Amino acid sequence: MAAVLERSFIEICGFERETLHRFREITVNLGLNALPGGVKFPDSAGGFHYGESGKLLSITSNRFIHWSVSGDTVQLVEQSLDTNLLNNAVKLKFTHCTVLPGGVNIQETLNNVVLLIVTNQSVHRLVLPHPTRMYCSEPVTELQMQSIFTDVGKLSLHDPSHSAVIPTAAGQTAGPGASTAWLSHQGEAHYALASPAGGIMVVTLPPYDTPGSVSVVELKRSTVMQRLAGWMPSAIRGEQSPGDLALCLAVRELEDDSFIFALCQDHKLRMWSFKEQACLLEADMLEYMPACRGVKQVAGQGHRLCLAFSPTTGLCLLVYLAVPQRGQFAVLQLVATDNHRYSLDHISSLYSTQETLVDLALTSTDIWGLWVDDSNTTVVKYINFEHYTEGQWNQVFTQPPPEEEVHIGVDQDPRETYLEVLFSPLRFTASAIVKALQIYRRGSERIVDMPWETLKKEVTVAVETELQSSVTEFEFSQEEYRQLQVEFWSKFYACCLQYQEALAMPLGLTVNPHTAMVCLLKKGFVSFLLPCFAVDHLYLSYHGYLSSEEETPIAEDPEVGRDVLQLVQCLRLVSEAVSGEMAYEMEKALEHLQSPERAAELVLENMLANDNDMMEDIQNKLQDIRNPTAAMIVLLREMDLETDSEAGGEGPITPGQSLNMRISLSQLYGSSTAVTVVCQAVCHTAMTRGVFCRDLLILQKLYLRLGDNAFLGGGAQLLQLQQDLIPRSSLLLSSYYLLKHISQSLASAVPVDIIDANLQHLSVLALSDSPALATNRSVLSPQTVVELFYQTVARKTIISQIYSQQQSPSPGHAALHWPHLISSVVHLLAQLLWPNNPGFQFPECLMANCQYTQLQEYVRLIGPWCQVNLGSCRFMLGQCYLAIGEGQKALQCFQEAATEVEKEEFLMRLTGAEEEEAASTPRLQYYNKVLRLLEDVGLPELVIHLATLAITEAVNDTRSQTALWTRIFKHHLDLGHNSQAYEALTQNPDSSWQLDCLRQLVVVLCERSQLQDLVQFSYVNLHDEVVNIIESRARSLDLLAHNYYELLYAFHINRHNYRKAGTVMFEFGMRLGREVRTRLGLQKQVNCYLAALNCLRLIRPEYAWIVQPTSGAVYERPGASPKRNHDGDFAADPVKRQVDILELKDLEKEYTLSRSRLTLAQQHPPSAAIAGSASAVEMVALLVQTGLFDCALTLCQTFKLPLTPVFEGLAFKCIKLQYGGEETQNEAWNWLAANQLSTIVNTKESSATDEAWRLLASYLDRFPSANAQYHRCVITKLMSHGVPLPDWLVNAYKEVDAAALLRLYLNFDLLEAAAELVLEYVDALLGKGHQYFGIERPLSAAAPLVWLPYTAIDQLLKALNETQTNAAMYNKVRDKLDDYHKLVGQTSRQRLRAQ
């Protein structure tokens, strides 16, 4: 229901939030000297409204200029209610001049706005660009625009085109008084000044940018006298009497002439024609004043005159005659007769009992008056001059000054209380606080522009410093300190009061004829008059007015209307009876969420105990109310802002309208001034109705106490009062207290990082495109949370609702009627803020703009009594707790909100944004959103808790269960809760997700090296999957960077599957040999083969085998397609391979080979890269080359390879040492140390060569061979290099195979050695040294048969015989053989004889 309006208005102050006005000062100095004894005029103010300010599509819509004049200074400010104007304030100072009353006039032309200023010595013209010319091409979409004053500093105000000096008569000392100015159709600037001696002087400047000189015309009464009475003597015709002195001037252009109206001190109104320079009309105003006796003889002072023109009524004049105790307004209409004669028709006369008129205004229907009474209080009234009740002026409820005393509760800190009052958005302007602070500091420094919070700190420091400096004692009680605080803060508060009173001094009023907007122009700020709602009007009206009313627009039935008026009078009596302390207690009860009904009972008891006379008056008044319940229902219905549906829509502002229309609507009432006015109007409404509801609740409690005696209807009405009306009043009281609280709560400044984090959270909730998100912040600093809400969300919704309901086919052409529009905006904003309405935009806006503290307080205040949007409020509170780090509290709130998901619009919108995860129920969708939010904030414990709770909701929803269990698994795993993560994995109903989780579990625990947990899990029904995952990871990742093979080995060992464990380690070793050809890789390979050996040795021999992994095999991946490869092409048919079985002995061979590779790499690191893939035969060669003969021999024995390469290599090493230098000797110790030498008896110092020979000798002893082939290969190696054979080697070989030694001598042409060997050998057969040749018994008949290598001996003899040098040796051999043959013959014969 639309709110019912009354004829009264209420003043709303548009306080500035900046510490200093940013006026640009411009000084105009024409070189004049101050006039002696100049008159000082009182400060004044005025306003100018653009001709198209009432058109929505105009760039000047809701735009006006106001000014104030003080002495030589004119301050001009351009303001708009739709956009913020930049560079909009300028201060003009005219040196040694005084601006005259009425001396500032502004007119607009098609291209310019022209300022005409009159001082007592000069006239000035400022030509500024018109706003339509500044923005003429494109529609303006910004919230800020340049003012017409932007470039005023570029004007040369001293030029003749802008300024001129008023010519003065010789000897004239007094300056002019009243003045006015206007712009003619030709562009000339005319300035009319009241001459001190009577008459009017008109100064004219030529059109701008047109050369010309200043002209002066004097309008004298003799002009008209000559025309009317030419017979009068010249002495009389030329006289100037004091009665001609004009007190007030006004001008109006009609047709092609300009008419100047002068209200003179002889109480006469004269009309001059500027064109004819003649007085066309003279009327005595006392004729319209019935009781004028004695007034005619007194010169008029303080008379006022103003004009108003409308197409219907023509030109009307408002004349105010300032007569002590009986001031009178007369409204006259100018009527033209034939032959250019004019007369005045009297329309009405109105009386005013007020003393001092400050300003007046006339519209086509109303008279507006501004007074200051004896107590310096501002009084504003208006009346319709055609239809009115005698003496019944309509009320304007002006804002009272702040309270003179601040009530401080016993539980309140004085400093905090005073700061809260001082910096409340409603009481003090920043200028008043700044000036008080400068005085309090004793003017030590000038306060520059500072932020609101900084000013607050400066005030605190100043007062506390003053307090500390006054303290002389070091110790005093807490109560004494509290008293000191109250004393000093009250002193500063009183200082602020004085300056606030000075700034609130009214200077004028201005009425916009196009929009009907009325503004009060005060010394320090501008206030706006808004229509008063009928219910507020009843409560605010003064007693005399209320008593004279007989009906009210809020009640259709006259009887009910009279009861309402009587009830309101009772409420006024109740209000007077409520003491300040009781009002404070009631306020505190609401703040602390105590029962309003109980608090009202306490107040009533206090009233009954303290003021019996007042209570008796109230009870007597109650007797006049016939049906109190009906009257209460009417009042409660009017104050209840609850609506059935959510206000506003989310679409474009006005679908189907033009672009310009949409842009204009998007800016309507969007400036910081309009924001402040609208939101302060809501605050005042809430404060007024809050007190109204408080008094009504107290009165209802009184009715209950009186019982049936107060009700004519008896018990039924009493029951209705108790069960319906009192709860409704209590609810309204709480609601209006909430509106008042949020209207005064300042918004917090938010750091950029918090804004970014909040945006991220909103994007998680899919609310980042919400209308609650502030796309532009206000220029107000600070601003209240309601102003923030209005600017970012509510204004668009409200304007859309207003214009969508308009019946006009083209709202763009409709006038912007201020009273209708602003009251609708205020009412709709209050409805949007009303907590019991279904809309939830306000809390959403607070959340979007990071106002967490204010949102928490909002939810706290509505908690006990608001039954709407309960779940949404809990959700928002949870968001707040998240933002301040209270995760557990946030989770609790989110859980509480879940029960309301399907009932509330905000939560339905929250869950309805789901796209990819269409859960089965809205509650599950809600849980998904909250879980994402908690994940985004980084609270995994809470995610687990809430997901566990959500699983109970998803009993039959496998998909949701899968997602929730996966979430639980993920966060348990992230937190290191491995067992819980495994449990969540096993609970997952989806096998594919279960496999993914299992894979992640394996990978993460491996990366964390938490292998014990990974191995010990039971993996019921998942054993093969785990093995496949680990195998897949092992075969696809770097061997040294990851330990998946070792993990798999431990996994199998833990389950006593030793063959698989051995297979894993053997595969690991094989891959290490192929892929990691480093010393570290070889070391790991040795360990792998050792582990594999150990595993097979733990198995029974018949099962101690493994399948050899195929080299270069492509391992199957779990889930891979059997038909296609990685590129999606059809794979070739797999090649069938033969399976190789490896037994324990095969593994031992591989281990030995691997061990030898490692030994080689340790002894000679560069060989590691080669050794990794070398076969056993190749390894023997590498080992021998490096000097690792022990290792080479072991390898040869393991693989059953001949030892010949080892002996040959060692022999060659000995040869090199034999003939090598000292460096070779030193290097030899390295490889000698790597071989295990036989026990050394240190009888003498041995060299590396000796040790090498000893090593060779020990090998020959340790590894005997058939026919001593190793001796043979060593001797062959030595002889091939021409190295003399060591005796031990020769002796050893002689004992085994002397014949082979003889052949070797012969092969290498060692004839002398061969001859010596033959001689020794023959001697051995003959019995001399036979044991050195391995002959058990020498030649004898009883001994076994013996033999000689005759072939070799024959070759030797032949060779000896061929050279002369060996002849002696040849003979010796021949002789020895002859002796042998003789013995052989004897022995043979003996044996024959013995047979």
Side-chain angles (χ1 to χ4, degrees), residues 396-464:
V396 174
F397 305 112
T398 57
Q399 288 300 318
E403 304 84 357
E404 293 187 2
E405 294 184 3
V406 177
H407 187 280
I408 304 172
V410 292
D411 58 340
Q412 288 184 306
D413 178 42
R415 177 177 63 186
E416 293 298 325
T417 306
Y418 273 102
L419 283 175
E420 183 180 347
V421 174
L422 285 169
F423 288 90
S424 163
L426 298 174
R427 292 182 176 88
F428 292 92
T429 63
S431 301
I433 299 175
V434 167
K435 291 182 179 179
L437 181 58
Q438 285 177 329
I439 293 297
Y440 210 75
R441 286 176 168 179
R442 296 177 179 84
S444 57
E445 59 181 272
R446 180 174 176 81
I447 298 177
V448 295
D449 191 13
M450 64 176 65
W452 194 257
E453 284 300 319
T454 307
L455 179 60
K456 197 173 184 178
K457 292 177 184 177
E458 290 293 326
V459 168
T460 305
V461 170
V463 177
E464 293 295 326

Side-chain angles (χ1 to χ4, degrees), residues 751-988:
V752 176
D753 56 338
I754 294 181
I755 293 177
D756 293 340
N758 187 52
L759 276 174
Q760 185 176 352
H761 299 166
L762 292 176
S763 65
V764 168
L765 295 173
L767 293 176
S768 55
D769 57 348
S770 165
L773 185 61
T775 54
N776 48 71
R777 295 303 299 267
S778 171
V779 296
L780 296 181
S781 178
Q783 61 179 164
T784 65
V785 290
V786 173
E787 289 170 347
L788 176 66
F789 171 62
Y790 172 77
Q791 188 189 28
T792 56
V793 181
R795 184 177 62 84
K796 184 176 76 171
T797 303
I798 290 167
I799 299 301
S800 172
Q801 189 170 352
I802 290 174
Y803 277 87
S804 64
Q805 294 172 352
Q806 279 201 352
Q807 300 300 320
S808 171
S810 55
H813 297 291
L816 295 172
H817 189 251
W818 164 263
H820 167 71
L821 276 179
I822 198 66
S823 58
S824 298
V825 170
V826 170
H827 181 69
L828 291 173
L829 176 58
Q831 283 188 334
L832 286 176
L833 295 170
W834 196 249
N836 278 317
N837 280 337
F840 198 64
Q841 294 101 319
F842 178 66
E844 198 175 344
C845 171
L846 294 184
M847 173 53 58
N849 290 282
C850 310
Q851 303 300 313
Y852 304 121
T853 305
Q854 295 83 343
L855 182 53
Q856 281 180 273
E857 182 65 10
Y858 175 85
V859 175
R860 184 189 74 84
L861 288 175
I862 68 172
W865 48 268
C866 181
Q867 300 303 314
V868 180
N869 290 318
L870 293 175
S872 301
C873 286
R874 302 312 295 171
F875 180 84
M876 285 299 183
L877 188 58
Q879 282 269 69
C880 293
Y881 283 138
L882 274 188
I884 61 177
E886 295 279 357
Q888 289 294 339
K889 291 182 180 179
L891 181 63
Q892 181 66 29
C893 292
F894 291 144
Q895 290 177 229
E896 293 170 358
T899 57
E900 307 295 323
V901 166
E902 299 177 46
K903 305 174 187 176
E904 298 177 10
E905 187 275 337
F906 170 75
L907 294 178
M908 287 191 287
R909 180 157 53 89
L910 183 71
T911 56
E914 293 285 336
E915 294 177 0
E916 72 283 355
E917 294 184 13
S920 58
T921 65
R923 192 172 295 189
L924 280 177
Q925 295 175 357
Y926 168 77
Y927 281 134
N928 283 338
K929 276 293 181 67
V930 176
L931 287 170
R932 279 196 225 162
L933 178 63
L934 294 175
E935 286 174 339
D936 189 65
V937 176
L939 296 172
E941 298 96 339
L942 304 186
V943 174
I944 293 168
H945 187 100
L946 189 62
T948 306
L949 179 67
I951 286 174
T952 60
E953 295 284 336
V955 178
N956 299 319
D957 188 348
T958 305
R959 182 177 177 183
S960 296
Q961 281 191 343
T962 299
L964 291 169
W965 279 118
T966 303
R967 260 198 175 100
I968 294 173
F969 162 79
K970 173 185 179 299
H971 292 290
H972 271 312
L973 187 60
D974 291 343
L975 291 170
H977 303 163
N978 300 337
S979 299
Q980 292 90 331
Y982 172 72
E983 289 298 326
L985 179 153
T986 58
Q987 296 291 330
N988 202 319

Side-chain angles (χ1 to χ4, degrees), residues 23 76 370-371 494 526 529 582 652 682 748 793 804 846 872 876 889 963 1125 1189 1207 1233 1309:
F23 281 102
L76 297 115
L370 170 63
W371 293 266
V526 178
L529 301 188
M582 284 295 99
V682 170
S748 306
V793 181
S804 64
L846 294 184
S872 301
M876 285 299 183
K889 291 182 180 179
N1125 57 20
F1189 299 105
F1207 285 98
D1309 204 21

Side-chain angles (χ1 to χ4, degrees), residues 1161-1234:
Q1162 290 172 338
Q1163 183 68 22
H1164 188 250
S1167 302
I1170 308 170
S1173 59
S1175 65
V1177 175
E1178 294 168 338
M1179 277 304 302
V1180 169
L1182 291 171
L1183 291 169
V1184 168
Q1185 181 181 348
T1186 313
L1188 301 175
F1189 299 105
D1190 277 356
C1191 189
L1193 290 170
T1194 304
L1195 189 61
C1196 289
Q1197 287 179 311
T1198 303
F1199 284 88
K1200 295 181 172 53
L1201 299 176
L1203 304 182
T1204 305
V1206 180
F1207 285 98
E1208 287 181 348
L1210 182 54
F1212 183 69
K1213 291 278 187 183
C1214 292
I1215 295 169
K1216 288 180 67 177
L1217 285 171
Q1218 188 81 30
Y1219 297 101
E1222 184 178 352
E1223 183 178 353
T1224 308
Q1225 293 280 333
N1226 294 334
E1227 291 176 357
W1229 285 111
N1230 294 329
W1231 61 264
L1232 283 170

